[in-house]
Amino acid sequence: MQIMREPQELQAWALEQRAAGQIIGLVPTMGNLHAGHMSLVTQARTQAHKVVVSIFVNPTQFGANEDLDHYPRSEREDLAQCRASGVDVVYLPAASAMYAPDYSCYIDEMVLSQGLCGASRAGHFRGVCTVVAKLFNLALPHLAIFGQKDFQQAAVIKRMIRDLNFPVRLLLAPIVREANGLAMSSRNLYLDQALRAQALGLYRTLRRAQELFQSGVEQSTQILPHLAEVLTRHELRCDYIELVEADSLLPVARVTDETVLLVAAWCGSTRLIDNCLLGEPI
Ligand code: AMP
């Protein structure tokens, strides 16, 4: 496994691989790798000859009051997991290698990134699109694997790929959960035992929505109040709960199998997200 820290090194490697006819799969991450991340690697390995994992806590996607300085970092353990999973290249740049001091180019997706997480995290998706575009230009992947865990992020990146003509195929990997249903997340490290119990409320809103849908309730206005109640019962402070159409992310009045439930809530001082398709039992 090669460890690269310089953008030029990764790009030169990717050009060589492409010239040799190798299919490159990219898994972008912010590190502190868990089984959710590794499932993306596994999926990449089934479809690509060479797998690149990037580990970069991207400063441009963090707001001024967010956890950039405290975001969990575990380089040694991350590298060990990548090595054990047959990753070919780990790209671990310093922030200064990605952003020159006078850096001045950004990518703004203007529609899908406005609501949901975009509404409470100003500039977040601008940072995400910018860094993903840069990673595409460096790793030159044929495929990029993103997790359904960040559903809006995947929708925004899919739109960026389409609108800016990146020759990259996006694959969406299912959410990996702990045995009790909590979606795996690097930010779960911030939760003590009491908060972890509260955090289960997110998963329970998904289950409740699926139950209501299975029992024939189809109006969003008849579903959403029950979900808000579940969050309150778990002492979670709701950021948003929305039932949306998967591509446009627009709220729907009447739900179907393909409707996506997106939830974000504060668990103590940690903001957690989760989601599901109503017709895909979790
Ligand atoms: P992050 O390191 O949080 O930026 O996540 C990197 C990638 O891993 C993103 O595409 C996430 O959607 C994905 N991911 C994070 N958590 C999970 C999970 N529990 N299951 C599947 N994919 C995940």
Side-chain angles (χ1 to χ4, degrees), residues 190-230:
Y190 298 145
L191 309 176
D192 62 18
Q193 225 173 347
L195 288 172
R196 287 175 72 86
Q198 289 183 25
L200 271 182
L202 277 96
Y203 171 67
R204 292 193 178 130
T205 61
L206 311 184
R207 291 296 299 263
R208 185 86 183 102
Q210 292 194 335
E211 280 165 20
L212 288 163
F213 177 60
Q214 293 307 327
S215 68
V217 184
E218 289 188 335
Q219 296 301 318
S220 291
T221 50
Q222 290 177 342
I223 298 176
L224 291 171
H226 293 283
L227 311 186
E229 227 171 71
V230 177

Side-chain angles (χ1 to χ4, degrees), residues 3-16 26 52 54-56 89-100 103 131 133-141:
I3 298 168
M4 301 183 186
R5 296 184 189 271
E6 297 305 324
Q8 303 80 345
E9 192 186 2
L10 176 60
Q11 200 177 50
W13 174 88
L15 284 167
E16 264 171 37
L26 171 68
V52 179
S54 61
I55 297 179
F56 181 54
V89 172
V90 176
Y91 178 55
L92 260 169
S96 56
M98 291 293 277
Y99 298 106
Y103 187 87
V131 80
K134 286 169 69 68
L135 291 169
F136 285 176
N137 284 333
L138 295 175
L140 304 174

Side-chain angles (χ1 to χ4, degrees), residues 28-31 34 36-37 39-40 61 71 145-150 153 173-177 183-186:
T29 80
M30 297 205 299
H34 51 65
H37 296 114
S39 75
L40 273 51
Q61 71 189 67
Y71 195 83
I145 298 86
F146 287 85
Q148 184 193 321
K149 166 81 184 358
D150 297 271
Q153 168 173 282
I175 300 176
V176 175
R177 299 179 179 280
M184 289 193 180
S185 162
S186 303

Side-chain angles (χ1 to χ4, degrees), residues 1 11 33 36 41 52 56 69 74 76 129 135 140 145 151 187 211 216 228-229 236 241 245 265 271 276 279:
M1 185 177 84
Q11 200 177 50
L33 302 179
V41 170
V52 179
F56 181 54
D69 294 338
S74 53
R76 213 147 46 100
C129 284
L135 291 169
L140 304 174
I145 298 86
F151 193 90
R187 289 192 168 97
E211 280 165 20
E229 227 171 71
L236 295 167
I241 313 183
E245 195 275 318
R271 188 174 168 283
C276 70

